[in-house]
Amino acid sequence: MRSDCVVIIPTYNEKENIENIIRAVFGLEQPFDMLIIDDGSPDGTATIVKRLMANEFKDRLHLIERTGKLGLGTAYIAGFKWAVAQKYDYVFEMDADFSHNPNDLPRLYAACAQEGYDVAIGSRYVNGVNVVNWPMGRILMSYYASKYVRIITGLKINDTTAGFKCYRRRVLETIELDKVRFKGYAFQIEMKFTAKQCGFKIKEVPVIFVNRELGTSKMSGGIFSEAVFGVIRLRLDGWFRHYPKPS
């Protein structure tokens, strides 16, 4: 039987992590389907996924291959559209590198499916600072970036840049996905801001974020700058743009 949940994981050069994260998600007691969106990884990430699709996880594991490194935001938009077309009720965002703990997926699911929230955020900052193995400079940059976003946008969310989330399908059906403009770090902020502007209920679920042990981080100064300056544009949108409401 197909799950009502799908976990979307964008990948670029994640051969060290991809099989382990897939097995970890499928090893949970609660069933989750998975969609991997690979941006032409030259290290063979997609080949590993195809092997697992063919041998062990047929009908539960899915793959979208794209040509070139097109950006985190566009990967998730492609995944959201696919998940909505497939009628999954709950759609998750998650990293491949175990910085997001698969064991927290059922907690995010419960916030939406049992507690009635529309978006559940795996939050590093709702109960202090729950980050492991990050340099202090990066912790401070991330923490105060979220503070900055809250001030500019008015969002009552502690971890505005979090990328570990669960959406009810109706959120993704309501948000005009083709109008989401940011591709990098600011994508995560824009999705939260837009969901709030559309009137959806958001809950932060405390999680512990662990820095990757294998592979290479995709974070860059340009991606972070997009978030810093992009939030001003989001605030202006909030004043002048008409946001759709849930049907």
Side-chain angles (χ1 to χ4, degrees):
M1 180 182 297
R2 195 187 79 161
S3 173
D4 63 348
C5 304
V6 63
V7 178
I8 300 174
I9 300 182
T11 56
Y12 184 78
N13 286 349
E14 290 289 356
K15 69 177 183 180
E16 296 94 345
N17 294 302
I18 192 61
E19 181 166 353
N20 289 336
I21 197 72
I22 288 170
R23 292 189 181 280
V25 172
F26 285 148
L28 296 171
E29 184 175 348
Q30 181 177 343
F32 293 87
D33 289 353
M34 297 185 72
L35 171 64
I36 309 301
I37 302 175
D38 187 69
D39 272 7
S41 297
D43 72 347
T45 298
T47 301
I48 297 171
V49 177
K50 289 176 184 176
R51 171 173 55 81
L52 295 172
M53 289 170 64
N55 295 335
E56 295 181 62
F57 303 119
K58 184 179 179 181
D59 300 327
R60 295 189 62 193
L61 178 61
H62 308 276
L63 173 67
I64 293 176
E65 292 186 87
R66 307 197 306 169
T67 303
K69 198 173 180 183
L70 302 176
L72 180 75
T74 64
Y76 274 127
I77 294 298
F80 293 159
K81 290 180 176 179
W82 181 91
V84 167
Q86 297 295 318
K87 302 297 184 184
Y88 284 97
D89 293 325
Y90 303 95
V91 182
F92 296 76
E93 292 184 19
M94 187 177 180
D95 290 347
D97 60 7
F98 284 93
S99 56
H100 302 147
N101 188 338
N103 291 326
D104 289 324
L105 287 169
R107 298 172 59 229
L108 297 181
Y109 172 82
C112 290
Q114 298 169 17
E115 298 177 38
Y117 289 91
D118 300 300
V119 182
I121 300 169
S123 177
R124 297 163 290 186
Y125 306 130
V126 69
N127 290 334
V129 178
N130 292 311
V131 178
V132 177
N133 293 336
W134 258 10
M136 182 55 66
R138 188 169 177 185
I139 292 174
L140 292 173
M141 182 178 69
S142 175
Y143 181 78
Y144 284 107
S146 280
K147 290 279 191 183
Y148 165 79
V149 172
R150 291 183 69 189
I151 292 169
I152 299 297
T153 64
L155 281 171
K156 305 302 182 184
I157 296 171
N158 292 284
D159 196 349
T160 56
T161 61
F164 191 20
K165 299 200 289 291
C166 173
Y167 298 94
R168 285 182 178 266
R169 185 176 75 226
R170 67 177 189 147
V171 177
L172 303 177
E173 290 173 331
T174 301
I175 290 175
E176 297 169 304
L177 295 175
D178 288 331
K179 293 185 178 180
V180 175
R181 68 187 61 157
F182 296 116
K183 295 182 179 181
Y185 209 50
F187 167 80
Q188 304 293 4
I189 302 167
E190 184 174 4
M191 287 297 294
K192 297 178 186 72
F193 181 82
T194 305
K196 192 65 177 179
Q197 292 296 106
C198 289
F200 290 109
K201 295 193 303 177
I202 301 173
K203 179 178 182 178
E204 290 187 88
V205 177
V207 299
I208 296 175
F209 182 97
V210 180
N211 195 28
R212 68 162 63 234
E213 294 184 2
L214 300 173
T216 304
S217 172
K218 313 307 185 293
M219 180 60 65
S220 70
I223 289 174
F224 188 75
S225 295
E226 179 193 65
V228 170
F229 296 107
V231 294
I232 298 173
R233 193 171 177 182
L234 288 178
R235 178 69 273 179
L236 294 174
D237 278 355
W239 289 334
F240 299 113
R241 177 178 164 186
H242 170 74
Y243 288 87
K245 299 302 179 183
S247 57

